[in-house]
Amino acid sequence: MHEERIRYGTAFPEGVKALQQLGRIVDNSGLEHSLLELVKMRSSQLNGCAYCLDMHSKDAMAAGETAQRLFALGAWRETTFFTPREQAALAWTEAITNIQQGHAPDAVFAQVKAQFSEEEIVRLTFAITQINSWNRIAIAFRPAVGDYQPAKRG
């Protein structure tokens, strides 16, 4: 287990608040909550962010996501568990998260464009960049993993 390096929320609360505000905007952008959680999970898997995987697996399950889909997310192309819209979002998530590999290829953009409007693509891209930012912050500063509990919905 890693020891927390810096309490980044204390060191730069304005930055954390700004990123949280972006998260609220993305969450209320009209994209499906379940889709956003899949995007957060997939990006966090690719980046190896334990803190975000813990958080977003719990959030997804609390919102009704199935364990089967979460367990298969790393091999989503090999299953029939995801809709064409979710598949396009996951492909775009991988392209944007792994930007050094192909710089968001045209074929992946065409796939996402077939399932999303231009406004939705931009919103989806903001969602992907937002979770990538959180992944990098959590990986850099190593907050404790495991204690997160989803907010009660009601």
Side-chain angles (χ1 to χ4, degrees):
M1 183 168 182
H2 296 290
E3 189 173 315
E4 186 172 32
R5 290 176 169 165
I6 297 173
R7 297 189 64 94
Y8 59 87
T10 302
F12 190 35
E14 303 87 354
V16 170
K17 287 178 186 171
L19 204 48
Q20 289 170 332
Q21 178 63 21
L22 177 58
R24 285 188 289 278
I25 291 167
V26 166
D27 287 345
N28 294 307
S29 69
L31 294 173
E32 306 92 304
H33 182 72
S34 59
L35 182 118
L36 290 172
E37 287 301 332
L38 291 175
V39 164
K40 292 171 188 176
M41 284 290 299
R42 187 64 188 130
S43 179
S44 298
Q45 286 176 335
L46 294 168
N47 289 321
C49 183
Y51 185 86
C52 294
L53 284 167
D54 178 64
M55 172 186 283
H56 295 295
S57 63
K58 291 173 180 175
D59 283 347
M61 296 285 286
E65 185 57 78
T66 67
Q68 182 183 41
R69 284 173 30 113
L70 289 179
F71 294 153
L73 188 57
W76 64 268
R77 285 180 178 84
E78 307 302 321
T79 74
T80 58
F81 305 156
F82 303 95
T83 68
R85 183 171 166 91
E86 290 169 335
Q87 291 172 11
L90 292 169
W92 191 239
T93 298
E94 291 177 359
I96 300 303
T97 299
N98 293 326
I99 202 75
Q100 75 283 3
Q101 298 173 4
H103 287 84
D106 290 341
V108 179
F109 183 72
Q111 182 182 3
V112 79
K113 193 169 182 184
Q115 295 294 324
F116 293 84
S117 70
E118 286 185 2
E119 292 81 8
E120 288 176 322
I121 294 169
V122 173
R123 291 171 182 155
L124 178 61
T125 304
F126 269 78
I128 296 164
T129 59
Q130 195 251 0
I131 189 58
N132 271 279
S133 293
W134 280 123
N135 290 164
R136 283 149 176 76
I137 291 165
I139 289 167
F141 300 123
R142 299 180 179 166
V145 176
D147 295 334
Y148 175 80
Q149 293 301 314
K152 302 281 189 226
R153 297 190 186 267

